[in-house]
Amino acid sequence: MPDSSDRKQRIVTRFQRHLANPVNRRLPFQTLLETTGRTSGLPRTTPVGGRRLGDSFWLVSEFGYRSQYVRNIQADPRVRIRIAGRWHRGTAHLLPDDDPVARLRGLPRFNSMAVRTFGTGLLTVRVDLEG
């Protein structure tokens, strides 16, 4: 029998996949993370919240290793990220030893609140940007 965190993830993921993400992908200044599908090899674009600090972009995955984009990063850490309307190439790093709750305090408030509210297995992700 699935536990409450499994049910919560299914509900939130369904909402994001079918309603929130298609709308957010169309917003010109929404931050987007593009990974390579681990099975298909096709580009997969996910709206994310986070913040650029120097040559890195930081975000927290609300479902940790269960997020599809995290699984794609595990298979191929080369990513692209659209920040303020501009695409950047980079390498993503999963940081299980980082404190994701503390990390969220330094990221945009609205997204951080949503990640804390709906998340069930937080994981910090750092993207080291090229050039």
Side-chain angles (χ1 to χ4, degrees), residues 23-131:
V23 171
N24 286 331
R25 278 189 200 102
R26 296 179 194 275
L27 300 175
F29 287 97
Q30 169 68 48
T31 301
L32 299 176
L33 176 67
E34 183 183 87
T35 60
T36 301
R38 63 193 174 281
T39 302
S40 69
L42 298 173
R44 301 296 182 198
T45 307
T46 305
V48 295
R51 174 166 285 140
R52 182 176 184 166
L53 297 170
D55 290 334
S56 296
F57 185 86
W58 293 82
L59 65 117
V60 174
S61 169
E62 64 192 333
F63 299 119
Y65 289 102
R66 295 169 63 188
S67 293
Q68 297 302 315
Y69 70 87
V70 168
R71 291 177 179 184
N72 289 342
I73 288 169
Q74 286 179 302
D76 182 355
R78 294 170 299 158
V79 300
R80 288 192 331 143
I81 189 158
R82 187 178 77 181
I83 306 167
R86 284 193 58 223
W87 284 100
H88 305 269
R89 294 191 181 283
T91 303
H93 303 276
L94 307 178
L95 305 172
D97 294 330
D98 190 68
D99 181 350
V101 175
R103 181 69 56 192
L104 284 170
R105 289 188 203 111
L107 300 180
R109 266 190 210 164
F110 180 75
N111 182 74
S112 294
M113 179 186 69
V115 169
R116 275 193 306 272
T117 301
F118 299 115
T120 59
L122 306 181
L123 175 67
T124 302
V125 179
R126 184 188 75 231
V127 177
D128 293 334
L129 305 172
E130 298 173 5

